[in-house]
Amino acid sequence: MKSYDIVNIKVSADDIFEYVVRNSNFCPIEVKIDKERYAAYDPFIYDSVEKEMIEQDEVYESFCKQVSKLRENALEMSGDEIYRICIELEEISPKTVKL
């Protein structure tokens, strides 16, 4: 079984907000890693060099699903309301990812 590096990340409410309101095409986790090499998806991170999906933990998966859900609903919400939720999402964001 292949081992992966555990990388510390710090997701910010601002990065979440920019993604949710579609000012950025990069999810808040991709902003913290090499976005030329890696692409973040809900259950995994794809490594384009190794051509493999790197499964992530439940915290990562739950966070990604919540961000995707907020992104879907953001069009019907005020900016202040979205940002308040982004602050809450920052608190539950993953502190590490496997790469």
Side-chain angles (χ1 to χ4, degrees):
M1 184 173 163
K2 183 171 180 172
S3 65
Y4 298 99
D5 291 330
I6 304 297
V7 178
N8 293 319
I9 59 171
K10 173 72 176 95
V11 174
S12 74
D14 291 336
D15 288 338
I16 299 169
F17 183 82
E18 291 299 312
Y19 178 70
V20 165
V21 299
R22 292 175 162 68
N23 287 344
S24 171
N25 290 325
F26 296 105
C27 89
I29 291 174
E30 284 175 327
V31 172
K32 302 300 176 188
I33 59 178
D34 179 355
K35 51 188 171 270
E36 297 297 319
R37 177 174 179 172
Y38 300 104
Y41 296 95
D42 285 4
F44 60 88
I45 294 176
Y46 181 73
D47 181 338
S48 65
V49 172
E50 297 292 327
K51 306 277 190 255
E52 67 179 327
M53 297 178 289
I54 305 168
E55 296 294 323
Q56 302 297 314
D57 63 19
E58 290 178 22
V59 173
Y60 169 94
E61 192 169 344
S62 175
F63 171 77
C64 288
K65 285 180 181 176
Q66 293 295 324
V67 170
S68 294
K69 185 175 173 183
L70 178 59
R71 195 170 199 229
E72 288 172 20
N73 296 325
L75 296 174
E76 301 161 15
M77 300 168 68
S78 73
D80 288 345
E81 186 179 10
I82 294 167
Y83 196 76
R84 278 194 304 275
I85 295 171
C86 290
I87 292 169
E88 292 174 20
L89 288 172
E90 178 183 321
E91 293 173 12
I92 65 155
S93 67
K95 308 304 180 232
T96 62
V97 291
K98 289 182 275 186
L99 297 178

